[in-house]
Amino acid sequence: MDFIQQMIGSSAIEYIAVTCGFLNVYLIIKRSLWNYLFGFIMVVLYAKIFFDYQLYSDSLLQVFFFITQCYGVFYWLKYKAPDGKVQVAYLNHRHFSQGLLATSALWLILAVVMQQYTDATHPFWDGAIAALSVTAQILLMRRHLQSWYLWIAVDVLAIGLFIVKGLLPTAALYGVFLILAILGLLQWQRASRD
């Protein structure tokens, strides 16, 4: 019953952000450029929501997402397939491993800074989500299939954190994101073989 009351009590801004987030990821899976319209709205709204809930790493992450989405629009336009969808690219194992190493370093730096200099409530958990999201977003805007592996990890971590913080509509959205990330991985794998 508490879960339902918290869902109902969530703000309208969170529900709008959730809706835009769902549409954004759905359209990414379809490799549609229209994903960016909903992505821009979502990141602006979540920057405020996460700041209000003292999830500063996630709030800063939304600024990063906004900037990378600007770049992503132009990059995806450059690599459109004849059917209008973006072409999928594959990252070799060496570069992917280097990206994961950089992600680990970013996570530790971000978590320690947030722990030492802010009143962040879960700096290491929040920092892990943020660091993985940075790498996943960079890979996604570059059209790399491996971005979906990282989005799956982000979604699993985020669901737990958002439940703990009482952001239940957002936790539910990340549950949907998890399912969509798995579907995205499968669809992008199929597209990369075509």
Side-chain angles (χ1 to χ4, degrees):
M1 192 62 150
D2 287 339
F3 178 77
I4 294 170
Q5 287 175 333
Q6 284 183 319
M7 288 286 282
I8 293 169
S10 295
S11 69
I13 190 173
E14 187 178 1
Y15 284 112
I16 294 168
V18 164
T19 302
C20 288
F22 172 79
L23 293 170
N24 173 246
V25 173
Y26 174 77
L27 291 169
I28 289 171
I29 291 170
K30 297 294 184 183
R31 301 180 356 253
S32 168
L33 284 164
W34 285 103
N35 82 81
Y36 287 105
L37 172 64
F38 298 102
F40 283 122
I41 297 167
M42 177 187 66
V43 298
V44 168
L45 297 177
Y46 270 121
K48 179 184 178 358
I49 292 167
F50 292 146
F51 185 83
D52 290 347
Y53 277 79
Q54 296 173 296
L55 296 171
Y56 303 125
S57 294
D58 276 320
S59 186
L60 281 172
L61 182 61
Q62 303 312 303
V63 175
F64 170 80
F65 283 158
F66 189 89
I67 293 166
T68 58
Q69 287 197 55
C70 292
Y71 175 80
V73 167
F74 295 107
Y75 200 82
W76 277 39
L77 280 169
K78 183 177 176 181
Y79 289 98
K80 279 193 338 185
D83 64 359
K85 297 178 179 180
V86 70
Q87 297 172 339
V88 175
Y90 193 81
L91 188 64
N92 68 44
H93 293 295
R94 189 178 113 239
H95 287 117
F96 188 57
S97 297
Q98 289 170 343
L100 292 178
L101 208 67
T103 302
S104 298
L106 176 61
W107 167 53
L108 290 174
I109 292 166
L110 191 56
V112 169
V113 167
M114 292 298 165
Q115 183 180 44
Q116 295 294 319
Y117 300 107
T118 73
D119 60 345
T121 58
H122 298 85
F124 284 87
W125 198 351
D126 191 28
I129 293 167
L132 283 165
S133 295
V134 165
T135 305
Q137 182 68 19
I138 290 169
L139 295 181
L140 180 65
M141 72 181 183
R142 302 285 301 192
R143 311 167 354 272
H144 291 298
L145 174 95
Q146 290 88 339
S147 66
W148 292 108
Y149 296 117
L150 299 182
W151 286 126
I152 290 167
V154 166
D155 296 337
V156 169
L157 289 169
I159 290 166
L161 179 60
F162 298 145
I163 288 172
V164 167
K165 292 299 289 182
L167 291 165
L168 297 182
T170 300
L173 173 65
Y174 275 78
V176 173
F177 280 174
L178 177 58
I179 293 165
L180 291 175
I182 293 166
L183 294 173
L185 174 62
L186 296 173
Q187 284 199 17
W188 280 40
Q189 283 174 334
R190 255 180 270 142
S192 71
R193 289 191 289 266
D194 292 343

